[in-house]
Amino acid sequence: MKIGVVGGGAFAWALAHAVRRTGSEVLMWSRRPQREAGAGISLVALPALAAAELIFFAVPSPVLPELARELGQHLDGGHYLVHVSRGIVGDGLMTLSQVLRSVTPCRRVGALAGPLVAAALESGAPGGGVIASRFPEVHAAVREAIGGKRLRIYSSEDVIGAEFASTAVGLLAMAVGYVQGIGLGPATLAVMASRGMAECTRIGVQLGGRVETFAGLAGHGDLLAAVAGDGRPELAVGRELAAGTLLADIRRQGGAYVEGIESARRIAAYAQRTGARAPLVSMCADVFDRKIGSAEVVELLMSRAVGGE
Amino acid sequence: MLAAPMRSLMFRLLSQPLRLPAFLGPAPRPDDPQIFRFNSERGTIISDVVRRVAQHYAGQPDRLLYLLNEAGNAEVRRLASQGDLEASDALGAWRRLIKRVGKMSEEERRAELREIVARMTGDIAGNFDVRVYGLATKIIPGLLTAIMSPGDLPRQLLSGFRALDERIIAEGPIDKLRRLAKVGTLVLVPTHSSNLDSVALGYVLMREQLPPVVYGAGKNLFSNPLLSFFMHNLGAYRVDRRISAQLYKETLKTYSCMMIERGYHSLFFPGGTRSRSGLVERRLKLGLAGTGVEAFARNQARGISRPVYFVPATLNYALVLEAETLIDDHLKGAGQSRYIIDDDESGQAERWFRFFTKLSQLRSAMVLRFGEPLDPFCNPIDDEGRSLSPSGRTVDPASYVKFRGVATVDAARDAGYTRELGDAIAREYQRSTVILWTQLVAHILYRQLVAQTPELDLFGRQRVRGATMPRSQLEAEVGEARDRLLAFAAAGLVHVGPVLQSQSPEKIVAEALTAWSGYHTRPAASAKGGDIVIEDPNLLLFYQNRLVPFAEELATPETLTAARTIAALGGRT
C-alpha cells in the first residue's frame, strides 16, 4: 500500500518512518527536501501523491490551504486526507479539516492529535495518539498506516474537538514553557495549564467540539506529555521568550512555535469579538507579542478575581 | 353503539385512504416522471422492502429476537395508552407475539418479521393517481384563490391566476432543477415553518413545471378525508410518528431509500418538525433525507449510475399560520415533548380563513427560494448535472462510495457523509434565506425591547407589555438595516424580499403593521400616536428570529449590545 506525506519537516519524516515500519511504501513531497529518500520512501512531485489512498499533511497551517488546493486538483472522493497541524486559520477559527474539505473534493478527512512528537515517532518509542474523523475507514487507514503494538491509535468522531484541543495544547505548552522560564513554581504552572485548558474547552465546545475530547488524550493527555518533557518545541520556545530572546531570533530556529503564537492571537480576538471568556489565552497573546512582561504576568495570573472553578 | 366487529370494519375503511379503480387510468408516457409508474410498481416495492429488511437480519438470530421483542413491547405500550379503535384492532396480535416469540423457531421468527414489515410497508406506501394529479393541477390554484379572495375567482380564472403568482413567489435555479430532474433524482430538503409548507411546495412545483415528489406526511394529516384523498393519491406516504419501534423506523428508512433508488423525486423536511422558534435550522441531522446518500451508494454498487441531487430550499412567510402556538411551544421548552401539535391554529377552519384573507391583502406573502443543488457529498452541480470540485473540475461522485476501486454499501461511512451534508444544507439555508419586511421590522422593534430591558433574561423580557419605540426612530433604523441587508444580498450572503427591495422605510413599517393587525389574536405591534407599541413580544421574537444570524452585522454602535444578546439566541454555528 502507498501512503502520501506532504511536508519535509521533522514530523513529516517521522511519519514517513512510522509508515515504513508497518511495511507500506511512502510517497513524499517537500518543497525543499532536507534529507535523502531512503528505502521505501520516494520523493515525488505533488500530483504524484494522488497514487496514495491516504495522504498526511505535515506542514504549518499557513501553507496548508494553498498546498491542499493544488494537490486537490488531482484528487477525488476516494482519497483520505489527514493533517497533524496544531493550527487554526481565519477570524472564525476555522480548523484545518474544514479547510481540507473546502479546498479539495475530498470529504473523508481527519486530524491526527495527541502526544505524538517527531523524535519518538521516528525512533518507534511506545506512545499513542488520536485519529479524529467522521469516517471509520479513515480511522482504519491511519491505524493500518502507522499504528501497531508500540503505537496505540485511538479513534474519535469529534474532529473539531480534537483539532481545537491540539491547537490549545500548542499554545498552552508555550505558556507553560514561559511560566517555567520566568521561575514560577509547579502550582502556578498547574493553574496556567488547567485554567487555560478550561477556557479553550469553552470555546471549543462553542465551535462544535465535545468536552470529553479536551479531557482526553488530544487535550489534557497531550499537555501532560508536553509538561513531562517529551522534547516539545513549543515548550522550548516559551522558555526562550521568558529569557528575552526576540521572536525573530527564535523563528530562525524552527517552525513549530509559529502555530502557538498565531493561535493565541486568533483565539483572543475571537473571544473578544464574541464575548467568550478567555483571559489567560488573551494574556498569552499579549506575552507572545511582548505587550506585557514577566512581572505583569505574575500580577495578572494572581490578581484575577477568583470564582468557582 | 356499533358492535365491536362492525367498529373494527369501519375503522379499517376509514383508515384506508380512498383510491379510484386502477384500470380506468391512462398509461404513463416514457418521459413522465417515475412517480407516474408508482401504482404498477407498488407491490414490487413493498416486497423488496420486506426482502431487504429480512436480509439485514439473516444470520443474526439474537438481533432478530431482540427486534421482534422490542417492536412488540413498544407497540403494546403505545396502543394500550392510545386505547382507540386501532388499539382494539391490533393490540391482541402484538400481545400474542410477545408471548410466543421466545418459543418460536428461527424460521417462524423470520416469517413473523416478514409479515410485520409487509404490514408496516403497506401502511406506509402511498399511491399516485395521474387523474388526481391532473385534477389537482387544475383545481388547486382555483382553490387557493377562492380561499384567498373569493370574489376574485372569475377574473383570476380568465387571467390564469396571476394574483396567486404574485403572492407566492418562487426563486432560485429553477431551469437547472428542471434539467436535473431529467438526468437524476431530486431530493428536496426545505426548511419547515408551517403545515402550509407542503401545500405551497406542491403548488410551486406544479406551477414551475417541476415534477411531483413523494414525501412522508404525518399520519395525523391523513385524518381529514379530503386532504387524505389528495395526499394519498399524489404520492405522499404515511409516517406514524407515534410508533417508536425500531423495526418501524427501519422499514420507513428502507422504503424511503428504495424510492430514491428507483428514481422517485422525494421531499423531506430535514429539520424534522416545524421550527418552533422561527429560527432557520442551523443544525440538521437529516433523518430520512440521509437515505438519499445510501440510495446513491446502493445504486452504484449495482452498477446504476443515476445521480442524486439534494436541493435545499427555504420557505419564507411574511405571516406564519401557526406562529403563536409555535413560539409559545418554543418558550415553554415543550417543543420536543409535544412533537405532534394537534391543537394549533392549523386545526381551526376560522384561523385558516383569516390567514388566507390576510395573505390575499399582502404582496409577496410567501417566497419559496430553491438553493443551489448539491450531490450527496456536498459538491455543487453544474448545469448538466455533473458534480464539481472546488476548483471547478468535474469529479466523479462514485469515487466517494468506492473502497479500493469498488463501490460498496457502508452504513457507517454514509452516516459520516450524511452529517457533512447536514452541515452543508444548513449553510445553504442561511444563504438562501429571504428576509421579508415583517421580519425586519420585528427585528428592529425587538432589538429596541432588548435595549430597554438590559436587566431581564429572555423569559422576563417576553412578559414585558407596552414597550414603545418612536415611529420615526423605527423607520430610520429599518432604513439603515435594510441598506445593510441589501449589501449582504449583493455579496451573496442572504436574499431580500421584494417589499424590502423597493419600498421606503415608512412604507415598510406601515405594511408590517398592517400585516400583523387582524390575523393574530393580538398584533405583534401597533401604532399609537407617534409611537409604535409592542403588544406581543412572543410574536415579535418569532418573526425576528430569522434575522438572528445577521443581528450583529445589522447593528449600529448604539444597538450592538442588544444585537449581541439577540445573536446569542441562535447559539453559535
Side-chain angles (χ1 to χ4, degrees), chain B residues 122-193:
Chain B
D123 190 57
I124 291 166
N127 192 50
F128 185 85
D129 195 305
V130 180
R131 293 158 295 177
V132 179
Y133 179 67
L135 179 69
T137 52
K138 289 190 188 73
I139 66 164
I140 284 184
L143 210 61
L144 283 175
T145 307
I147 305 171
M148 286 166 78
S149 41
D152 215 19
L153 191 59
R155 200 162 52 81
Q156 285 300 320
L157 275 171
L158 291 175
S159 71
F161 300 107
R162 258 205 309 275
L164 193 63
D165 290 352
E166 280 165 21
R167 263 151 221 148
I168 300 181
I169 296 174
E171 296 179 346
I174 295 173
D175 285 339
K176 183 168 168 177
L177 295 179
R178 276 190 215 113
R179 275 195 301 277
L180 297 188
K182 294 211 163 68
V183 292
T185 309
L186 302 184
V187 178
L188 297 186
V189 278
T191 56
H192 198 6
S193 331

Side-chain angles (χ1 to χ4, degrees), chain A residues 174 234 237 247 250-261:
Chain A
M174 276 181 65
E234 288 91 344
V237 171
L247 258 184
I250 303 172
R251 211 165 257 155
R252 269 180 230 121
Q253 298 165 17
Y257 63 91
V258 177
E259 305 283 13
I261 294 167

Side-chain angles (χ1 to χ4, degrees), chain A residues 1 53 72-78 80 101-105 107-108 134-137 157 206 273-274, chain B residues 377-379 389-391 393 395 399-404 412-413 416-417 419-420 423 552 564 572-573:
Chain A
M1 206 168 64
E53 183 180 65
Q73 311 259 13
H74 310 279
L75 305 179
D76 64 20
Y80 311 158
R101 274 199 299 266
S102 64
V103 302
T104 74
R107 296 292 168 268
R108 292 183 263 190
R134 282 174 165 180
F135 294 87
E137 60 268 43
E157 291 194 350
Q206 270 188 9
R273 209 175 55 246
T274 61
Chain B
F377 315 104
C378 318
N379 295 306
S389 77
S391 61
R393 183 172 54 93
V395 56
S399 65
Y400 293 85
V401 295
K402 283 186 177 162
F403 183 69
R404 314 245 151 107
R413 174 198 67 201
Y417 284 133
R419 269 179 292 177
E420 301 273 324
D423 295 346
E552 286 177 75
R564 283 203 172 136
R572 302 272 165 212
T573 42

Side-chain angles (χ1 to χ4, degrees), chain B residues 481-492 494 496-497 500-502 554:
Chain B
R482 186 266 301 269
D483 292 345
R484 291 197 198 186
L485 274 177
L486 290 176
F488 296 156
V494 72
V496 176
L500 280 183
Q501 279 181 29
S502 60
L554 293 181

Side-chain angles (χ1 to χ4, degrees), chain B residues 10-79:
Chain B
M10 285 297 287
F11 167 73
R12 277 182 207 185
L13 281 175
L14 286 173
S15 61
Q16 294 304 315
L18 184 67
R19 280 189 215 151
L20 305 178
F23 56 86
L24 293 172
R29 292 185 305 262
D31 58 340
D32 277 337
Q34 186 67 5
I35 195 167
F36 282 58
R37 277 174 277 279
F38 178 73
N39 286 2
S40 60
E41 291 196 340
R42 193 175 187 272
T44 322
I45 291 173
I46 293 178
S47 53
D48 281 357
V49 169
V50 174
R51 191 177 314 122
R52 188 176 290 173
V53 176
Q55 252 167 18
H56 186 71
Y57 288 94
Q60 301 188 75
D62 292 347
R63 281 195 65 193
L64 174 60
L65 177 60
Y66 173 82
L67 192 77
L68 291 173
N69 257 315
E70 196 262 350
N73 283 299
E75 280 298 86
V76 167
R77 252 196 327 273
R78 170 179 80 92
L79 292 165

Side-chain angles (χ1 to χ4, degrees), chain B residues 369 424 426-434 492-495 550:
Chain B
R369 183 166 188 98
R427 284 194 297 272
E428 189 59 32
Y429 279 173
Q430 207 88 80
R431 275 193 294 270
S432 306
T433 298
V434 182
L493 300 172
V494 72
H495 291 83
F550 309 100

